[in-house]
Amino acid sequence: MPVNILMPALSPTMEEGTLAKWLVKAGDEVRSGDVIAEIETDKATMEVEAVEDGTIGQLAVADGTEGVKINTVIAVLLEDGETEADLDAAIDAAPSPSATASAEMPPPVPPAPALSSATKEETARIFASPLARRIAKDRGLDLSSIKGTGPKGRIVKSDLEEVMPAVPQPSPAEIPDTTPSLTSDTALDKIKALYVDRKFEEVALDGMRKTIAARLTEAKQTIPHFYLRREVELDALLAFRADLNAQLSARGVKLSVNDFIIKACALALQDVPDCNAAWARDRLLRFSASDVSVAVAIDGGLITPVIRDAETKTISAISTEMKDLAARARDRKLSPSEYQGGAFSISNLGMMGIENFDAVINPPQGAILAVGAGKSKPVVRDDDITIATIMSLTLSVDHRVIDGALGAEFLAAIKHHIENPVALLA
C-alpha cells in the first residue's frame, strides 16, 4: 500500500517545523536515501530522505508552510503497481499529528565505542546516502562495519539507527510549561487595546523566536542566578595575538580575541572541574572534557554552537572551527549535534562596544560568561598610575550547581589564563 511520508522530529525538542522546500514533485521517482525536502526547525535547516523506493504520488503540504506538526502526512509515496486511487486511503490511515512522534533523526548520542574509524580509501568505496554519511561523521560511526539495506546494499539512515543506543526522552508531563501568560488571546487583545490609537504592525513569531522566548523564560524563572564580576588586563594578550597573526598570515589564519577567551575558559574548566557541570533535576552531570558553547547572533535570533574538547585544541584550530560553525549557523545549516550539549557558554558583545552586561544561563548548563569590550583605563601599579586595556567579565552562575566561592575560583582561573596568554599554547 502507499507509504505516508510524515513530518519528522529532527531534534528531541521539536514539536513543529516549516516545510521550507520540496526537492521533488508529484510523479517523480525516488530511491531510498534520496533527499526529497528541506525542513526548517527552530535552529537549523535539515534534509529529509526517502526511506523507500517509489513514485511521489502527492505532496500534501506546500512549500513554505509553517507550523507543521510532527507526524503530519507531508507526502505520499506510491510503490510499484499502485495508482492515485490509493492516495486518499493512505492519508486517512495516517497517525494523528498529536501522536507521539518517532524521530526520523535520533538525538545526539556519544560515539559508539566499539566502532573504529575507517580509512579514507575504505570510506570512498562504501555506498551510503549523503545524510547517512553526515550522521556517521557526527556520531563517529564506522560505515564499513554497517550493512546497508538500501538498493544494492546502500547504507541509509535507518541502518545507522540500529547501531546507536536509544536515548530516553522525557514524557510531556516532565517538561515544564514555559509559555508566557501574555500569549493568551485575552491578554493579546488587552495589550492591543492599549495601542488602539497608534499605528503598528503585528510580527508573527517564527519557531526560533518562540523557542528562545520559552527557554529564556524558563531560565529566569527556574534557575537561581547570581553574578560575579572581574576586570582583566588585555595588553599582553593583544600584543601576543598581533605577533601570532603576523606569523600566521601566510597560512591565512587570523586569530580573534574571542578565540583566546574560548581556550582560556576551556582550561579554566579543567583547573576547576566542579564548575564543568550541568543541572539534571535531582543530580549534577560533571564532565571530563571542556565543551564550550559560543553564542552566535543570526537573523531572527541566536544559536550556540559547541566547540567540543576545546581544552585539547590549539587556538588556531579553535579559530578555524568557530568560523565554520558561525558561518553555517547563519545559514541555518548546523546539525543538532553541533549546537546541543556543552556545560558552559560564552556570550561576547565586546565587538559591539558593550562594556559589560549580564547573560542568561542556557539550561541545563551551570554558567555563562558575558564578555565586554576592552577599553583603555587608568590603573594603579606600584603606586604609579598607568594606562591599560581593561575588559569586563561577568559570570552568571546557577547556584544549584556552583556556589559563590567555587564560582569565584573559576572566574579567577579564567582571568589568569587571559592575562598569561603564552601559557595557552602549552
Side-chain angles (χ1 to χ4, degrees):
M1 63 178 295
V3 177
N4 289 319
I5 301 175
L6 308 180
M7 184 68 165
L10 300 175
S11 74
T13 58
M14 178 178 169
E15 296 180 358
E16 61 182 35
T18 298
L19 205 157
K21 181 169 61 175
W22 282 109
L23 304 178
V24 295
K25 60 183 182 298
D28 285 356
E29 293 186 1
V30 296
R31 306 192 67 166
S32 177
D34 287 349
V35 178
I36 61 173
E38 292 181 354
I39 303 294
E40 288 183 3
T41 69
D42 55 344
K43 294 290 187 181
T45 300
M46 309 291 289
E47 295 175 343
V48 176
E49 286 187 351
V51 295
E52 297 188 31
D53 298 349
T55 301
I56 300 295
Q58 179 183 357
L59 302 180
V61 176
D63 284 4
T65 302
E66 300 179 355
V68 182
K69 301 290 185 181
I70 59 174
N71 265 17
T72 299
V73 176
I74 58 175
V76 179
L77 186 70
L78 298 175
E79 298 181 317
D80 289 343
E82 294 176 334
T83 66
E84 294 184 5
D86 302 302
L87 292 176
D88 291 340
I91 294 177
D92 291 341
S96 166
S98 61
T100 302
S102 57
E104 285 290 325
M105 177 180 290
V109 295
L115 301 178
S116 59
S117 27
T119 64
K120 292 182 180 178
E121 293 77 10
E122 290 172 332
T123 303
R125 294 196 297 269
I126 295 171
F127 293 97
S129 71
L131 182 56
R133 288 186 183 277
R134 186 162 61 251
I135 295 173
K137 180 180 178 182
D138 290 343
R139 308 298 195 275
L141 301 177
D142 179 10
L143 289 177
S144 65
S145 65
I146 300 172
K147 183 178 179 180
T149 59
K152 298 183 180 179
R154 191 182 193 201
I155 299 172
V156 294
K157 180 169 54 182
S158 58
D159 299 322
L160 302 182
E161 294 172 356
E162 298 179 2
V163 299
M164 293 189 292
V167 174
Q169 298 299 310
S171 67
E174 294 177 323
I175 302 175
D177 181 9
T178 58
T179 305
S181 60
L182 290 180
T183 59
S184 69
D185 291 340
T186 302
L188 177 60
D189 291 340
K190 290 180 179 179
I191 294 171
K192 290 166 64 176
L194 297 174
Y195 305 100
V196 67
D197 60 338
R198 309 305 298 163
K199 182 179 179 180
F200 61 84
E201 175 190 3
E202 291 190 40
V203 180
L205 301 181
D206 60 13
M208 172 177 288
R209 200 75 246 167
K210 290 178 181 177
T211 299
I212 290 173
R215 286 181 62 82
L216 294 184
T217 300
E218 175 194 357
K220 289 299 286 185
Q221 288 181 344
T222 64
I223 296 176
H225 285 62
F226 72 92
Y227 306 94
L228 301 172
R229 312 178 198 281
R230 291 205 69 163
E231 291 185 337
V232 299
E233 294 190 19
L234 276 186
D235 295 290
L237 187 151
L238 294 175
F240 186 54
R241 169 178 170 264
D243 192 29
L244 281 180
N245 281 338
Q247 298 179 51
L248 295 172
S249 60
R251 291 165 45 188
V253 176
K254 186 175 182 179
L255 306 178
S256 70
V257 171
N258 209 49
D259 299 327
F260 286 86
I261 294 172
I262 294 170
K263 181 69 174 185
C265 290
L267 294 179
L269 287 169
Q270 297 296 305
D271 295 340
V272 191
D274 286 346
C275 289
N276 193 13
W279 176 256
R281 295 176 67 87
D282 62 348
R283 67 199 64 197
L284 301 180
L285 304 182
R286 190 163 290 149
F287 306 103
S288 55
S290 295
D291 296 340
V292 180
S293 305
V294 183
V296 174
I298 63 176
D299 187 25
L302 60 85
I303 194 169
T304 52
V306 183
I307 303 291
R308 301 187 186 277
D309 303 302
E311 81 281 6
T312 67
K313 295 176 178 176
T314 64
I315 299 175
S316 60
I318 289 173
S319 179
T320 300
E321 184 176 349
M322 192 64 239
K323 287 182 175 66
D324 172 64
L325 289 170
R328 290 192 290 116
R330 294 184 182 102
D331 293 334
R332 298 199 180 191
K333 295 296 184 183
L334 294 180
S335 65
S337 63
E338 292 176 309
Y339 61 77
Q340 293 177 344
F344 178 77
S345 290
I346 297 171
S347 181
N348 190 342
L349 293 179
M351 66 283 294
M352 298 181 181
I354 301 300
E355 292 192 39
N356 57 74
F357 65 103
D358 299 340
V360 180
I361 296 169
N362 183 20
Q365 297 179 2
I368 182 171
L369 184 72
V371 181
K375 298 286 185 180
S376 294
K377 295 182 180 181
V379 296
V380 177
R381 293 200 191 105
D382 300 325
D383 297 329
D384 289 329
I385 297 177
T386 185
I387 301 298
T389 305
I390 303 298
M391 181 175 69
S392 171
L393 301 179
T394 302
L395 185 68
S396 303
V397 183
D398 183 343
H399 213 322
R400 300 170 302 179
V401 181
I402 301 169
D403 291 325
L406 186 62
E409 182 184 354
F410 177 48
L411 189 54
I414 296 174
K415 173 182 170 70
H416 171 78
H417 287 298
I418 291 175
E419 293 183 339
N420 297 276
V422 176
L424 296 178
L425 303 184

